Amino acid sequence: MIGSTRRLAVYAYGQPCDMRKSFDALCGLVTQALGRDFLSGDVFLFVGRDRKRAKALFWDGTGLCLYAKRLEKGRFAPLWQRESGAQPLELTVSELALFLEGSELVGRAPLSPAPYTLAPLFQPEAAGAVTS
């Protein structure tokens, strides 16, 4: 399965995809539509129009891997954006696992929290407004 000790990024193609496409055609979509390098080691996810099939394209360091899954019941979450020209949806590896299990929550709302950023506790400009 897709797994590694390093952090992987997962990018979902923003439109329904023809599931007859194979390695070369999907690599072309990654390069042209997503603007990414398919040899980067990231995972690129494609979903069919009927949402019964999905493919994941992955470079493992020695060659391209193409994982395909067809659901017998239910449908995959629609990962494409409604607005044209929107950025591709980026998922974590945990969200990818949920997606491949058939979870409907993936793509609707961020399941992973945003990276934590430090904010100053004391605001110097606000201190001037306080009178003693």
Side-chain angles (χ1 to χ4, degrees):
M1 182 55 195
I2 301 170
S4 176
T5 56
R6 69 178 188 86
R7 180 180 164 100
L8 288 176
V10 180
Y11 297 98
Y13 181 64
Q15 299 174 22
C17 185
D18 183 0
M19 290 289 102
R20 296 175 292 179
K21 293 183 187 238
S22 188
F23 292 95
D24 296 329
L26 293 176
C27 288
L29 288 177
V30 169
T31 304
Q32 294 175 356
L34 297 177
R36 303 256 174 218
D37 181 17
F38 58 89
L39 299 176
S40 65
D42 296 330
V43 179
F44 301 97
L45 192 58
F46 304 91
V47 180
R49 183 173 306 282
D50 66 354
R51 296 183 7 232
K52 289 264 188 198
R53 298 171 192 238
K55 288 186 178 183
L57 184 68
F58 175 74
W59 173 260
D60 71 350
T62 60
L64 281 171
C65 301
L66 186 61
Y67 297 99
K69 183 166 183 177
R70 180 184 69 197
L71 290 178
E72 293 300 321
K73 293 183 181 179
R75 297 181 189 273
F76 287 110
L79 296 179
W80 44 83
Q81 302 291 333
R82 300 286 187 240
E83 308 89 31
S84 61
Q87 293 293 324
L89 184 62
E90 187 173 351
L91 305 173
T92 64
V93 176
S94 299
E95 290 169 333
L96 174 63
L98 283 172
F99 173 81
L100 291 175
E101 290 173 5
S103 174
E104 295 179 3
L105 298 176
V106 178
R108 291 189 181 177
L111 298 178
S112 298
Y116 183 75
T117 57
L118 294 174
L121 296 176
F122 179 71
Q123 302 292 334
E125 59 275 356
V130 176
T131 59
S132 313

